[in-house]
Amino acid sequence: RALPHEHLAVEPAASIGDLAPAVLAHNPRIILFSGHSFMGSLAFELDDGRIDLPPAAAFISQLSREAAPRLQCVFLNGCHTAALGHKLVEEMPWLCVICWCSITEDAAARAFAT
């Protein structure tokens, strides 16, 4: 079943700095990251359009129970996100994490997210 529109927030082309304010504003139960990842880092966008690959800890720290008390599930819809998924579960064992352990074709990722 799809969520009603008023319960869905989209933050396109977000930077890692946009994550904390978005989590605070929406207090989500589910976070879906749909994008690229490289070398164990999610790819975010800098203000000048370049790619930012922050360390996993920078992403994880913004999803703490204090920051996101309702958070139950994180969906990492990007290639080779399993290492980050495992780190999330190690640090936050109450979370359900969905991730990819392989290369993901863009069409498959889009279909998986819908």
Side-chain angles (χ1 to χ4, degrees), residues 11 16-26 62:
E11 300 286 340
I16 189 72
D18 296 329
L19 183 58
V23 168
L24 181 64
H26 303 294
Q62 296 185 48

Side-chain angles (χ1 to χ4, degrees), residues 14-16 19 33 42-46 50-54 59:
S15 70
I16 189 72
L19 183 58
F33 173 87
L42 299 178
F44 288 91
E45 187 173 308
L46 295 169
R50 292 182 301 130
I51 293 175
D52 181 24
L53 300 172
F59 178 75

Side-chain angles (χ1 to χ4, degrees), residues 24-96:
L24 181 64
H26 303 294
N27 192 16
R29 287 188 312 129
I30 300 169
I31 290 180
L32 163 63
F33 173 87
S34 189
H36 298 284
S37 66
F38 303 98
M39 301 175 289
S41 293
L42 299 178
F44 288 91
E45 187 173 308
L46 295 169
D47 290 338
D48 63 5
R50 292 182 301 130
I51 293 175
D52 181 24
L53 300 172
F59 178 75
I60 293 170
S61 68
Q62 296 185 48
L63 304 180
S64 69
R65 276 210 168 137
E66 294 77 26
R70 294 181 347 126
L71 188 61
Q72 298 173 348
C73 181
V74 177
F75 181 7
L76 303 172
N77 194 19
C79 299
H80 298 291
T81 52
L84 177 56
H86 285 280
K87 287 180 186 174
L88 272 165
V89 171
E90 285 174 9
E91 293 196 30
M92 301 172 187
W94 62 90
L95 284 181
C96 171

